[in-house]
Amino acid sequence: MSSVHGKSQRNGEGSLPMTPISATDAAGQPLAADAPFFIVMNAGSGRQQADATRAVLERELGAAGRHFEMRVVDDPRQLESVAREAASAAAAQDGVLVGAGGDGTLCTVAHAALDAGCPFAVLPRGTFNYFSRDHGIPADLDESTRLLLDARAYPVQVGFVNERMFIVNASLGLYPRLLEDRETYKRQFGRSRLVALWSALSTMLKPHRHLRLHLEHEGSTTEVSSSTLFVGNNRLQMEQIGMPEEARALEQGLLAAIAPRPVGRLMHLWLSLHGAAGRLSDSDHVVSFTFERIVVTHPSKKRRLVKIATDGEITRLRMPLEFRVSDKPLLLLKPEPAVAQANRS
C-alpha cells in the first residue's frame, strides 16, 4: 500500500424509513470550506489508472488549495484496514473519506465511513458504477473530482446481510456463481460489459441446483425454492431489469428481494434476457417482495456456511442470514437532487 499526499408478491410497501430524515438532511449538509479529503483507491484496476487519478486530484484539488491524502492499496486484502485507518483520520480532522474504484471497493470504503461517522464521497472507476450513477455522480473523473469541492452531504440508504454491508445488492445461490465466472472471464478476455454478458450467458446454460430457504418476515415464515435470492438496494438497477415498483420502494426505506421460481436452464436464460431487456416484472416466473428486515434460514436449521455476494465481492457467511436496512444512513457527497436526477437520466 502506498500513500500520496496532496408480477410479484410484495410485502411492506409504504413503510417509513427506519431513520427519519430531517429537513436539514433533505437539503444536504454543507462541509467546511477547508475539509480535507482522504482518498482510498484499490490498485487492482491497474497502476496506470491510479496514476491518472492522482494527476487529476493534484490538478483539481491542488488548484483549489484543498488538502488531500491518497492511499493506493496494492493488496486487496488490505483494503478494509486501510479504509478504516483513513476513515479514522477523516473523522478526527472533520474531513471526507473518498472511495475510488468500482462498487465492491466503494462498499468497503463506505462501510468504514459509516462506522467512523464521517462523510463519504465517490470517484467512479469501475465497469458498471451502479452506486455512483444512481446518485447522479458523474463518471468523468475530472467532473467527479470537482464535485468534491462544492457538493453537500446527503443521507443515503445502505443494507446489511448479517454484519456485512452492501450499497447495491446482496445475493446467494446462482448469482454469486455468475460473479465468480465473470471474474474468470475478465482475467482471460479483459474487463468490459460484453465480456460480462457473455460470461453470464455461459453460466446460465450450466447445470445448477435450487435452494430451499425459509424466509421469516413480519412474524410469518415462507418457504421459497429458487436458484438464487437477490436483494437489491439500487433504484437504477431495479429500473434497468424492469422492476419499477421495487425501485420506488427503495425510496421508502425498503430493500427489494427477487427470486425466480424453480425453472429449467432455458427458462432461466429467458428470464435473464427479460431482465436485460428491462421486462422482468412481466414474467410469472419471478417472485418479489419488499422489506425492512428478513431472516433467511435453511429448512434443516443448520448453521451452515453459504456463499454470499455483496456488491460483486464473494464471501461466506453462516446462517441464519439477516438482511436489513441499516439503522443509520451513509452521508454521501453528491449533486443536489435536481442535478442528480438529470445526471441519472
Side-chain angles (χ1 to χ4, degrees), residues 21-52:
I21 296 175
S22 68
T24 301
D25 288 337
Q29 300 178 12
L31 302 178
D34 59 350
F37 299 102
F38 297 83
I39 299 100
V40 177
M41 182 172 188
N42 189 345
S45 52
R47 271 286 165 180
Q48 186 174 3
Q49 190 179 79
D51 291 341

Side-chain angles (χ1 to χ4, degrees), residues 101-152:
D103 289 326
T105 295
L106 298 183
C107 181
T108 299
V109 182
H111 195 171
L114 184 73
D115 287 347
C118 64
F120 175 65
V122 171
L123 299 177
R125 307 298 280 158
T127 302
F128 293 97
N129 297 319
Y130 275 116
F131 181 73
S132 58
R133 288 163 60 203
D134 189 35
H135 292 289
I137 297 170
D140 179 79
L141 180 59
D142 292 71
E143 292 182 29
S144 59
T145 302
R146 285 193 290 269
L147 179 66
L148 300 177
L149 296 172
D150 54 15
R152 291 172 173 251

